[in-house]
Amino acid sequence: MPQKPSIPKGTRDFSPTEVAKRNYIIQTIKKHFEVFGFQPIETPSFENSETLMGKYGDEGDRLIFKILNSGDFISKVDDVTYSSKNSNSLIPKISEKALRYDLTVPFARYVVMHQNEIDFPFKRYQIQPVWRADRPQKGRFREFYQCDADVVGAKSLLQEVEFVRLYDAVFTDLGLKGTTIKLNNRKVLSGIAEAIGAKHLLIDFTVALDKLDKIGEEGVKKEMLAKGISENAIAKASPLFEMSGNSLEQLEQLKSLLVESEIGMEGIAELKEIIDGVEALGLESAKLQLDVTLARGLNYYTGAIYEVSAPEGVKMGSIGGGGRYDDLTGIFGLKDISGVGISFGLDRIYLVLEELGLFPESLSKSVEVLCVNFGKRESTAALKLVNQLRGKGIKSEVFPTSTKMQKQMKYANNRNIPFVVLIGEQELADGTFVVKNMASGEQQTFELAKPEVFIHTL
Amino acid sequence: MPQKPSIPKGTRDFSPTEVAKRNYIIQTIKKHFEVFGFQPIETPSFENSETLMGKYGDEGDRLIFKILNSGDFISKVDDVTYSSKNSNSLIPKISEKALRYDLTVPFARYVVMHQNEIDFPFKRYQIQPVWRADRPQKGRFREFYQCDADVVGAKSLLQEVEFVRLYDAVFTDLGLKGTTIKLNNRKVLSGIAEAIGAKHLLIDFTVALDKLDKIGEEGVKKEMLAKGISENAIAKASPLFEMSGNSLEQLEQLKSLLVESEIGMEGIAELKEIIDGVEALGLESAKLQLDVTLARGLNYYTGAIYEVSAPEGVKMGSIGGGGRYDDLTGIFGLKDISGVGISFGLDRIYLVLEELGLFPESLSKSVEVLCVNFGKRESTAALKLVNQLRGKGIKSEVFPTSTKMQKQMKYANNRNIPFVVLIGEQELADGTFVVKNMASGEQQTFELAKPEVFIHTL
């Protein structure tokens, strides 16, 4: 009995049309990464386990895919560990490698390993798949691409300005007008926690605040209470929920809350510099908006934080995010290397472009010209023509077998091929070929000796 | 103590220059795949183990990287299996997924799973990494890319002709002139084994013959003897070692040996059709050559076999190979789907281009223009200029910090950036910018209001 094939849950096959659409997004992102001066690197799909483990918290450790050692792996497990029959104790004995969980930790590892070859500031981009043993659900996969651009080794806020412009450039080019780039600064969040007397509960405070969009003001306050933040502190924080006006006006309102907090005022000054920098040049289609409730779950951000939301009316989580982290490479022994970066959410951008019908029509056209196969002599003439078309970069092919014409035309139809070329016995004798426009049904005759006349009509 | 980071043996980090060179090869291959009418698909990095296991022989099974099940995997192992402490018995209990070993088996799985969406003949290409737990050595890695193009669902030999042309087109475009595309047919090999009375030892016979290049005629004969092929049979096969003339002449010599073998004569007829087909159109820079000793290790080929060798004088194994297999999808329950395909050896092609100095100079240039950063006001003007350059697709950036000029110039030098733009206090006051050509040392002044004048010089 042959197997009925399937693929692991949370993974996907991509059809030609899907690959074309994904590549369209990736190529657009890549183009702007490069035009902004970022350089590509690639790292291995799997890393030594110690490079990854402990970098993403306990939950992250659990979600990392581990690779079984090759050979007679079990004979290397000592009897004491083996007799415990405990998965966590066994893992380090039978698995030394693990699949990449994100691109940031491998990048930090790369920077440390190659520090002597790198010219800092190092602007790198990386577009590669990552793997997580997460529970699969709509829009969440076990294998997915990350598209990251980061700068390491430069503390200037010029990078923060550049990243806002980069988001704007990519989304404008994709035709996705009206995105909102939300901006905040971890220092402002620290300042607020300090100002309201909840400094020791900073993480709980920011995690709760981050949920404002989802659970509303009351929900956030309730969660803060539950986490041990006092009613008094929460009351002090209430201006956060009542901010109004444009970004610069909101910054002014924040100032009154943070005037006593050194770190808070530093955050405000940074935000102002970024906002001013962006305004000096203007944006094409995106909107930059201060959002003091923006926290992002990750704990390694230390300065600016970004998150991009799709145009209004499209229900979708953030389609991009990032921020500054002051100590990217410290975990691998290289101190004081500041980094700042952003990420594009490929799968979500795909869904948004699909929903708004923004993928170019041309992506569904894989072949421009199909030559019908009428037999050996005819198909040799067809191959010669096709050879000339290909030389001009025109995607074209000869149907491989001289099967029924109807079947060949159906194939052209199904594959959405716009032009079908007919070279039958008569045409061969006349030195001509007939081109059928599949959309209009029109037919036109050209000379085999002058294919350029046809090429010019394309 | 921070860890000293490393990567798993047999894997590689790719620097920006290496990525650029690899992408140059990949993009060239891709361009021709598409112009020949092939469509891209992508499959998951890991497959269910039963999809892969047993498809590559025992050695292949051992070399497949297995992924440990998530969660408390060991509690699901029954006590009897566990107490055996045997790696092979444990694997299926603790690992359900495995990393892709090649692109052919996942492709067969794809065709069967998506047979109702596919328009046959299906011309697909796939360029993705594969993983093998092989002993790493020079030029052999545990993670490497395969670049495959296959057609399934068409038996006509027009495909075989097309693949020769495709090899020629790609290698010509890469500037790699003088490659040899060696061609043989498994039916000819079967015919020879039959004609010399060693039909039952076909695999041993072809495996030995395949080593002619490496171990010479005597070595091959010795190995055949050792495998139980009689001296008499080997003597009958000796015309194989003495073939001369061009491909069509060699075919004639083969005929006398194979005249009694139906399958052998079929192979000769196929080879003749392919060679005639290729000659009708001619090749640009490659040479097609019949090689009756070509066998290729894999047992699933049933018709034409290809192997491409680098231009003479370059010491390198084959840089491409492929062939026809009559029953690609049978293992997954879809019978009688014939396939034919070729593969490009990315890593070896890279080494050959490097050795011959064939990578375009432009690949080492990641950024075209760097603006020196002289401070906040100046850098805002520089950003405006850079913005206009980027709009024209020119890769450009502003140095992120207003550090010492010398340091910024050194960065431009190290990164091989050809033009450095200077906008200092004076230039800002004059509304100008100075461009320094890093190769010639020449400086030229332009107006900030007319960046297009500079752009036209690029």
mmCIF file of all heavy atoms in Angstrom, chain A residues 45-66:
data_model
loop_
_atom_site.group_PDB
_atom_site.id
_atom_site.type_symbol
_atom_site.label_atom_id
_atom_site.label_comp_id
_atom_site.label_asym_id
_atom_site.label_seq_id
_atom_site.Cartn_x
_atom_site.Cartn_y
_atom_site.Cartn_z
ATOM 1 N N SER A 45 20.726 27.182 8.985
ATOM 2 C CA SER A 45 19.377 26.910 9.491
ATOM 3 C C SER A 45 19.413 26.394 10.914
ATOM 4 O O SER A 45 18.510 26.651 11.692
ATOM 5 C CB SER A 45 18.678 25.891 8.602
ATOM 6 O OG SER A 45 18.521 26.422 7.310
ATOM 7 N N PHE A 46 20.435 25.609 11.228
ATOM 8 C CA PHE A 46 20.526 25.187 12.628
ATOM 9 C C PHE A 46 21.793 25.729 13.273
ATOM 10 O O PHE A 46 22.806 25.971 12.598
ATOM 11 C CB PHE A 46 20.397 23.669 12.817
ATOM 12 C CG PHE A 46 21.214 22.802 11.905
ATOM 13 C CD1 PHE A 46 22.586 22.693 12.060
ATOM 14 C CD2 PHE A 46 20.596 22.054 10.916
ATOM 15 C CE1 PHE A 46 23.335 21.865 11.253
ATOM 16 C CE2 PHE A 46 21.343 21.229 10.066
ATOM 17 C CZ PHE A 46 22.712 21.133 10.238
ATOM 18 N N GLU A 47 21.698 25.967 14.562
ATOM 19 C CA GLU A 47 22.803 26.487 15.361
ATOM 20 C C GLU A 47 23.114 25.464 16.442
ATOM 21 O O GLU A 47 22.302 24.572 16.723
ATOM 22 C CB GLU A 47 22.389 27.810 16.038
ATOM 23 C CG GLU A 47 22.071 28.965 15.077
ATOM 24 C CD GLU A 47 23.313 29.791 14.703
ATOM 25 O OE1 GLU A 47 24.382 29.575 15.326
ATOM 26 O OE2 GLU A 47 23.210 30.639 13.790
ATOM 27 N N ASN A 48 24.294 25.597 17.052
ATOM 28 C CA ASN A 48 24.547 24.804 18.249
ATOM 29 C C ASN A 48 23.499 25.173 19.303
ATOM 30 O O ASN A 48 23.158 26.351 19.455
ATOM 31 C CB ASN A 48 25.946 25.101 18.785
ATOM 32 C CG ASN A 48 27.031 24.559 17.866
ATOM 33 O OD1 ASN A 48 26.881 23.474 17.291
ATOM 34 N ND2 ASN A 48 28.102 25.310 17.710
ATOM 35 N N SER A 49 23.007 24.181 20.017
ATOM 36 C CA SER A 49 21.924 24.439 20.964
ATOM 37 C C SER A 49 22.272 25.537 21.963
ATOM 38 O O SER A 49 21.435 26.372 22.297
ATOM 39 C CB SER A 49 21.571 23.157 21.722
ATOM 40 O OG SER A 49 21.110 22.190 20.817
ATOM 41 N N GLU A 50 23.524 25.544 22.436
ATOM 42 C CA GLU A 50 23.851 26.547 23.456
ATOM 43 C C GLU A 50 23.788 27.970 22.910
ATOM 44 O O GLU A 50 23.680 28.911 23.690
ATOM 45 C CB GLU A 50 25.210 26.274 24.115
ATOM 46 C CG GLU A 50 26.410 26.385 23.189
ATOM 47 C CD GLU A 50 26.885 25.018 22.705
ATOM 48 O OE1 GLU A 50 26.033 24.112 22.577
ATOM 49 O OE2 GLU A 50 28.091 24.857 22.460
ATOM 50 N N THR A 51 23.850 28.134 21.611
ATOM 51 C CA THR A 51 23.701 29.478 21.035
ATOM 52 C C THR A 51 22.271 29.983 21.202
ATOM 53 O O THR A 51 22.047 31.170 21.409
ATOM 54 C CB THR A 51 24.072 29.452 19.532
ATOM 55 O OG1 THR A 51 25.425 29.018 19.395
ATOM 56 C CG2 THR A 51 23.918 30.820 18.891
ATOM 57 N N LEU A 52 21.314 29.065 21.118
ATOM 58 C CA LEU A 52 19.908 29.480 21.136
ATOM 59 C C LEU A 52 19.245 29.350 22.506
ATOM 60 O O LEU A 52 18.454 30.205 22.903
ATOM 61 C CB LEU A 52 19.107 28.652 20.120
ATOM 62 C CG LEU A 52 19.601 28.662 18.666
ATOM 63 C CD1 LEU A 52 18.643 27.872 17.781
ATOM 64 C CD2 LEU A 52 19.736 30.086 18.149
ATOM 65 N N MET A 53 19.579 28.276 23.226
ATOM 66 C CA MET A 53 18.847 27.987 24.470
ATOM 67 C C MET A 53 19.114 29.072 25.515
ATOM 68 O O MET A 53 20.233 29.537 25.680
ATOM 69 C CB MET A 53 19.233 26.620 25.021
ATOM 70 C CG MET A 53 18.881 25.460 24.083
ATOM 71 S SD MET A 53 17.108 25.264 23.791
ATOM 72 C CE MET A 53 16.640 24.405 25.306
ATOM 73 N N GLY A 54 18.043 29.465 26.194
ATOM 74 C CA GLY A 54 18.154 30.469 27.255
ATOM 75 C C GLY A 54 18.069 31.896 26.751
ATOM 76 O O GLY A 54 18.162 32.838 27.525
ATOM 77 N N LYS A 55 17.896 32.064 25.430
ATOM 78 C CA LYS A 55 17.865 33.423 24.886
ATOM 79 C C LYS A 55 16.441 33.940 24.703
ATOM 80 O O LYS A 55 16.231 35.120 24.452
ATOM 81 C CB LYS A 55 18.567 33.475 23.527
ATOM 82 C CG LYS A 55 19.981 32.907 23.513
ATOM 83 C CD LYS A 55 20.892 33.618 24.487
ATOM 84 C CE LYS A 55 22.350 33.177 24.305
ATOM 85 N NZ LYS A 55 22.594 31.745 24.559
ATOM 86 N N TYR A 56 15.462 33.064 24.802
ATOM 87 C CA TYR A 56 14.082 33.476 24.510
ATOM 88 C C TYR A 56 13.129 33.184 25.667
ATOM 89 O O TYR A 56 11.916 33.135 25.471
ATOM 90 C CB TYR A 56 13.577 32.757 23.249
ATOM 91 C CG TYR A 56 14.485 32.879 22.047
ATOM 92 C CD1 TYR A 56 15.357 31.853 21.693
ATOM 93 C CD2 TYR A 56 14.481 34.028 21.268
ATOM 94 C CE1 TYR A 56 16.190 31.960 20.585
ATOM 95 C CE2 TYR A 56 15.309 34.140 20.159
ATOM 96 C CZ TYR A 56 16.167 33.107 19.821
ATOM 97 O OH TYR A 56 16.988 33.215 18.730
ATOM 98 N N GLY A 57 13.699 32.965 26.867
ATOM 99 C CA GLY A 57 12.857 32.609 28.011
ATOM 100 C C GLY A 57 12.490 31.138 27.978
ATOM 101 O O GLY A 57 12.773 30.424 27.017
ATOM 102 N N ASP A 58 11.830 30.678 29.047
ATOM 103 C CA ASP A 58 11.477 29.251 29.162
ATOM 104 C C ASP A 58 10.555 28.813 28.036
ATOM 105 O O ASP A 58 10.720 27.739 27.455
ATOM 106 C CB ASP A 58 10.779 28.984 30.501
ATOM 107 C CG ASP A 58 11.761 29.122 31.654
ATOM 108 O OD1 ASP A 58 12.983 29.163 31.394
ATOM 109 O OD2 ASP A 58 11.294 29.196 32.807
ATOM 110 N N GLU A 59 9.568 29.678 27.749
ATOM 111 C CA GLU A 59 8.615 29.350 26.701
ATOM 112 C C GLU A 59 9.353 29.210 25.360
ATOM 113 O O GLU A 59 9.108 28.259 24.618
ATOM 114 C CB GLU A 59 7.551 30.470 26.636
ATOM 115 C CG GLU A 59 6.537 30.357 25.514
ATOM 116 C CD GLU A 59 5.547 29.215 25.698
ATOM 117 O OE1 GLU A 59 5.696 28.440 26.678
ATOM 118 O OE2 GLU A 59 4.649 29.078 24.845
ATOM 119 N N GLY A 60 10.252 30.127 25.095
ATOM 120 C CA GLY A 60 11.045 30.057 23.869
ATOM 121 C C GLY A 60 11.836 28.757 23.795
ATOM 122 O O GLY A 60 11.825 28.068 22.780
ATOM 123 N N ASP A 61 12.503 28.401 24.890
ATOM 124 C CA ASP A 61 13.273 27.147 24.922
ATOM 125 C C ASP A 61 12.408 25.958 24.520
ATOM 126 O O ASP A 61 12.851 25.072 23.796
ATOM 127 C CB ASP A 61 13.828 26.898 26.335
ATOM 128 C CG ASP A 61 15.100 27.705 26.590
ATOM 129 O OD1 ASP A 61 15.566 28.377 25.645
ATOM 130 O OD2 ASP A 61 15.616 27.668 27.722
ATOM 131 N N ARG A 62 11.167 25.960 25.021
ATOM 132 C CA ARG A 62 10.273 24.847 24.698
ATOM 133 C C ARG A 62 9.916 24.828 23.219
ATOM 134 O O ARG A 62 9.692 23.774 22.636
ATOM 135 C CB ARG A 62 8.971 24.976 25.516
ATOM 136 C CG ARG A 62 8.903 24.058 26.714
ATOM 137 C CD ARG A 62 7.475 23.889 27.212
ATOM 138 N NE ARG A 62 6.807 25.160 27.451
ATOM 139 C CZ ARG A 62 6.993 25.914 28.545
ATOM 140 N NH1 ARG A 62 7.798 25.522 29.496
ATOM 141 N NH2 ARG A 62 6.352 27.060 28.685
ATOM 142 N N LEU A 63 9.822 26.016 22.622
ATOM 143 C CA LEU A 63 9.343 26.113 21.236
ATOM 144 C C LEU A 63 10.455 25.937 20.197
ATOM 145 O O LEU A 63 10.200 25.939 19.007
ATOM 146 C CB LEU A 63 8.656 27.468 21.016
ATOM 147 C CG LEU A 63 7.431 27.731 21.899
ATOM 148 C CD1 LEU A 63 6.778 29.059 21.521
ATOM 149 C CD2 LEU A 63 6.404 26.601 21.776
ATOM 150 N N ILE A 64 11.676 25.797 20.669
ATOM 151 C CA ILE A 64 12.792 25.593 19.739
ATOM 152 C C ILE A 64 12.796 24.136 19.261
ATOM 153 O O ILE A 64 12.697 23.214 20.066
ATOM 154 C CB ILE A 64 14.129 25.928 20.439
ATOM 155 C CG1 ILE A 64 14.239 27.450 20.636
ATOM 156 C CG2 ILE A 64 15.321 25.392 19.650
ATOM 157 C CD1 ILE A 64 15.432 27.882 21.468
ATOM 158 N N PHE A 65 12.874 23.952 17.943
ATOM 159 C CA PHE A 65 12.959 22.597 17.392
ATOM 160 C C PHE A 65 14.376 22.055 17.576
ATOM 161 O O PHE A 65 15.336 22.664 17.101
ATOM 162 C CB PHE A 65 12.630 22.596 15.898
ATOM 163 C CG PHE A 65 11.166 22.598 15.590
ATOM 164 C CD1 PHE A 65 10.559 23.697 14.998
ATOM 165 C CD2 PHE A 65 10.378 21.486 15.894
ATOM 166 C CE1 PHE A 65 9.197 23.695 14.696
ATOM 167 C CE2 PHE A 65 9.015 21.472 15.602
ATOM 168 C CZ PHE A 65 8.427 22.583 15.012
ATOM 169 N N LYS A 66 14.478 20.904 18.244
ATOM 170 C CA LYS A 66 15.796 20.314 18.478
ATOM 171 C C LYS A 66 16.069 19.202 17.463
ATOM 172 O O LYS A 66 15.166 18.432 17.127
ATOM 173 C CB LYS A 66 15.862 19.719 19.893
ATOM 174 C CG LYS A 66 15.937 20.776 21.003
ATOM 175 C CD LYS A 66 14.636 20.899 21.750
ATOM 176 C CE LYS A 66 14.602 22.097 22.685
ATOM 177 N NZ LYS A 66 13.187 22.483 22.970
#
